Amino acid sequence: MKTADLCDHYKGALQVCAPMFRSFGGKRRFAGPITTVKVWEDNVLVRQAIETAPEGSIIIVDGGGSKRCALLGDRLAAIAVSRGIAGMIIHGCVRDTADLAQLDLGVLALDSMPLKSKKEGKGERDLSVRFGGVIWEPGHWAAVDEDGIVLAPHPMEL
């Protein structure tokens, strides 16, 4: 079911993220339970989430909207693919975009930036985060397609 159809079917019961992201991954449509990471220009916890999130998860990275460095590149994205992660939504930047486009992974981010992030391990995991006019709750579900992103407290299939 498309996100537009989900919005029609659930008639206002979904949260709809503001249109602010660009698609960088090879997968345009994906859905699954979310897990969250909150960091500032540091991607150590992003890697930890990729290495530990259950297969089929969507990893939500609240990078505070920083465009000064990338929080995901080709190497971490390849690990995500090998672990069966459905996708990543990054409130920040990515790099290695030509490579990301070739991977079977959904990747949404604000923009691209070639500079890598710090590696200090600062941040938090598995907490509610807010950006895009919605609240991203661990365990809730997200569905993504070419029309946008919708969130629900229950499973949704595209």
Side-chain angles (χ1 to χ4, degrees):
M1 190 176 291
K2 300 182 296 186
T3 58
D5 293 338
L6 290 169
C7 287
D8 294 347
H9 180 76
Y10 290 105
K11 295 181 177 57
L14 303 177
Q15 294 186 81
V16 180
C17 184
M20 57 193 279
F21 293 102
R22 291 174 49 196
S23 180
F24 292 96
K27 188 187 293 186
R28 300 288 184 186
R29 294 179 176 203
F30 54 100
I34 66 173
T35 185
T36 63
V37 179
K38 185 173 184 167
V39 296
W40 179 253
E41 300 179 357
D42 183 332
N43 75 346
V44 170
L45 294 183
V46 175
R47 182 182 186 120
Q48 287 178 5
I50 289 169
E51 292 174 340
T52 60
E55 183 176 345
S57 294
I58 298 175
I59 299 173
I60 307 301
V61 180
D62 182 356
S66 173
K67 292 187 175 185
R68 300 188 323 180
C69 67
L71 296 173
L72 178 75
D74 61 343
R75 291 181 182 160
L76 289 185
I79 295 169
V81 170
S82 74
R83 295 212 59 257
I85 300 300
M88 300 184 67
I89 300 172
I90 301 170
H91 188 220
C93 291
V94 296
R95 67 186 202 164
D96 305 313
T97 59
D99 297 315
L100 294 180
Q102 301 302 311
L103 295 175
D104 187 29
L105 180 69
V107 179
L108 300 182
L110 296 176
D111 217 332
S112 61
M113 165 53 80
L115 292 173
K116 67 180 179 180
S117 71
K118 297 179 279 190
K119 309 284 189 243
E120 297 173 354
K122 295 179 180 176
E124 298 176 84
R125 287 189 54 195
D126 302 317
L127 70 158
S128 297
V129 295
R130 180 186 297 259
F131 60 84
V134 297
I135 300 170
W136 306 84
E137 295 280 354
H140 284 199
W141 279 62
V144 179
D145 69 10
E146 298 84 353
D147 288 332
I149 306 166
V150 297
L151 305 174
H154 51 75
M156 298 178 291
E157 296 294 329
L158 287 176

